[in-house]
Amino acid sequence: MSQRYQPKAEDKFTFGLWTVGNTGRDPFGEPVRQSLSPVDLVHLLAEVGAYGVNFHDNDLIPIDAPPGKRAQILREFKNALNETGLVVPMATTNLFSDPVFKDGAFTSNNSEVRAYALQKTMKAIDLGVDLGAKVYVFWGGREGTETDAAKDPVESLKRFREALNFLCDYSLGQGYDLKFALEAKPNEPRGDIYLPTTGAMLGFISTLDHPEMVGVNPEVAHEHMAGLNFTHAVAQAWEAGKLFHIDLNDQAFGRYDQDFRFGAVNLKSAFFLVKFLEDVGYEGSRHFDAHAYRTEDYEGVKQFALGCMRTYLALKERAAQWNSDPQIQSLVKEIMKTSAVPVEVYSEVVADQLKSRAFDRTDMAARGLAYERLDQLTIELLLGIN
Ligand code: GLT
Ligand code: MN
Ligand code: MN
């Protein structure tokens, strides 16, 4: 492997404790790797060159840990962060593993479960902020249904909204410098999850009491599961000023939740995603929400983590090449020639003029657009053909 593409802190590559800590358990099989402690995982991440580590409350502190144990874990984890220089840019709540959340957390039909979910989240927010988190992710894995006979979808949205409003007020009341990022997923583990896409989340955010502190955390695999173009979802979030965080991984369309290494499946869409993030100057974490194949031991896990970062860096380099490639750029310029004159701003006069303007529709339609050539040049650049 080339010595280039060594990750550096300024690349802002982060991983969740649950990603490199994934033991390979799946619905059909037992774990294949022993579980490592949070301290071991911090050292593993430091070894491969990551910048930060993120966690769910219970990745760090078991749900039933007594106060003494909690304090000890926290002390050891903070020591590991100090030793390695790793930071915690994001934290989140596990509102999906425990059986109490079998019918959802914030959208559960049981108001006691909803109250418990709020309590658990407030405590997890305190923990995240204590460790330095500036972004707080909400992934509602159990917020959905198998049968719509069981839950009213309108009521569920109202419950979800009330919970987020409560938690925004809580965070503001505590004086925390924290933003919330909502993560959509269409299904799995529920048959259907509410607000299944990033676009749906963006619509929902504008209905909240504090929309300014809430954005999105789009994940490659989740939009791909729904058969959607991830870069388009990210672009919509970016344009709305709502791209607070991003979950990078890969996923074949139409499959189960694969959470593969970044770029492992669809290099071309990974390229356009990296190009987009770099071109617009996205400054947040590049978080990898993925895990190693179940075939791997911890050496393989390190290779997996390195692979995510190396592929990102290689694609970033390719994006810069694309932006300065003479053939590609002259073709882009040619293609964009016709877009130089903007559509005018509305006025009655402009509307009247436009209505009476003569268009040569046949001529406009007859022009070839050279997108085939542009795409092939892109492919050849990705293949390293000059
Ligand atoms: C879980 C899920 C991810 C979420 C994590 C945050 S947990 O692994 O599959 O997509 O980002 O809750
Ligand atoms: Mn996922
Ligand atoms: Mn995710």
Side-chain angles (χ1 to χ4, degrees):
M1 274 190 187
S2 162
Q3 287 307 298
R4 289 150 71 204
Y5 315 123
Q6 299 293 336
K8 298 189 204 60
E10 64 258 33
D11 297 319
K12 295 201 179 154
F13 291 137
T14 64
F15 290 82
L17 283 179
W18 70 93
T19 64
V20 282
N22 179 288
T23 56
R25 195 178 57 154
D26 72 14
F28 305 95
E30 302 300 334
V32 292
R33 294 181 282 269
Q34 70 183 104
S35 105
L36 295 186
S37 71
V39 167
D40 289 340
L41 292 168
V42 167
H43 285 285
L44 184 153
L45 286 173
E47 192 186 324
V48 295
Y51 158 76
V53 58
N54 305 317
F55 57 83
H56 298 89
D57 49 356
N58 305 135
D59 297 338
L60 187 58
I61 296 166
I63 195 163
D64 289 323
K69 184 76 187 156
R70 184 184 191 281
Q72 183 200 340
I73 293 172
L74 208 47
R75 207 168 43 241
E76 289 170 359
F77 189 66
K78 284 181 177 175
N79 281 343
L81 294 176
N82 283 335
E83 272 168 39
T84 56
L86 255 72
V87 294
V88 174
M90 176 271 261
T92 183
T93 331
N94 186 325
L95 295 172
F96 44 89
S97 292
D98 194 89
V100 73
F101 299 124
K102 63 189 175 188
D103 191 28
F106 302 139
T107 66
S108 165
N109 272 334
N110 183 336
S111 64
E112 209 180 343
V113 173
R114 299 201 298 273
Y116 173 62
L118 281 179
Q119 182 204 64
K120 191 172 192 292
T121 306
M122 285 190 288
K123 290 182 179 179
I125 287 177
D126 295 344
L127 175 68
V129 169
D130 179 36
L131 286 157
K134 294 274 185 287
V135 176
Y136 201 84
V137 162
F138 289 82
W139 174 65
R142 301 279 175 197
E143 313 292 11
T145 58
E146 284 70 43
T147 167
D148 287 328
K151 270 163 133 178
D152 176 342
V154 170
E155 195 52 39
S156 295
L157 286 177
K158 287 184 180 161
R159 290 172 183 164
F160 195 43
R161 180 180 302 114
E162 275 165 21
L164 285 170
N165 286 341
F166 184 100
L167 292 164
C168 283
D169 279 330
Y170 174 72
S171 178
L172 291 168
Q174 296 298 114
Y176 292 157
D177 173 22
L178 195 62
K179 286 184 160 182
F180 291 179
L182 311 185
E183 178 177 345
K185 188 176 183 185
N187 56 272
E188 209 180 331
R190 294 311 295 262
D192 290 286
I193 298 176
Y194 296 126
L195 298 165
T197 63
T198 298
M201 286 297 183
L202 287 168
F204 177 71
I205 288 169
S206 62
T207 72
L208 298 175
D209 286 350
H210 295 284
E212 70 289 346
M213 69 177 279
V214 186
V216 290
N217 177 37
E219 173 170 320
V220 179
H222 296 177
E223 304 293 316
H224 283 191
M225 284 173 75
L228 301 174
N229 181 313
F230 185 64
T231 301
H232 293 186
V234 168
Q236 189 188 353
W238 174 261
E239 204 260 343
K242 293 292 182 195
L243 188 63
F244 289 2
H245 200 263
I246 193 163
D247 277 2
L248 302 171
N249 55 14
D250 214 350
Q251 165 86 33
F253 278 45
R255 298 288 175 92
Y256 67 98
D257 180 20
Q258 295 178 308
D259 287 336
F260 285 151
R261 190 181 74 254
F262 182 58
V265 179
N266 192 334
L267 260 187
K268 186 173 157 187
S269 55
F271 167 72
F272 282 115
L273 172 64
V274 171
K275 181 170 161 2
F276 179 86
L277 294 174
E278 298 300 323
D279 283 353
V280 297
Y282 166 74
E283 285 184 342
S285 296
R286 274 77 172 156
H287 174 85
F288 297 104
D289 187 9
H291 50 75
Y293 301 147
R294 193 164 179 269
T295 49
E296 303 309 294
D297 58 10
Y298 277 102
E299 184 46 40
V301 172
K302 286 183 206 166
Q303 292 304 319
F304 145 82
L306 274 169
C308 287
M309 298 184 284
R310 290 172 61 83
T311 298
Y312 189 100
L313 291 173
L315 291 174
K316 179 177 166 179
E317 186 185 82
R318 294 283 182 271
Q321 282 171 8
W322 198 97
N323 288 340
S324 63
D325 183 277
Q327 261 188 302
I328 289 178
Q329 288 313 311
S330 78
L331 195 50
V332 168
K333 211 167 150 203
E334 179 65 24
I335 287 167
M336 293 305 166
K337 218 171 51 190
T338 51
S339 98
V341 182
V343 173
E344 293 177 76
V345 176
Y346 174 83
S347 73
E348 265 184 57
V349 178
V350 167
D352 282 345
Q353 283 169 350
L354 188 53
K355 274 172 133 180
S356 55
R357 186 166 146 194
F359 287 100
D360 189 341
R361 207 177 72 241
T362 315
D363 179 61
M364 286 192 286
R367 285 179 222 142
L369 299 181
Y371 293 176
E372 279 287 3
R373 178 139 179 272
L374 182 60
D375 189 66
Q376 183 61 22
L377 285 171
T378 304
I379 294 289
E380 294 193 8
L381 183 139
L382 288 177
L383 292 174
I385 306 170
N386 292 314

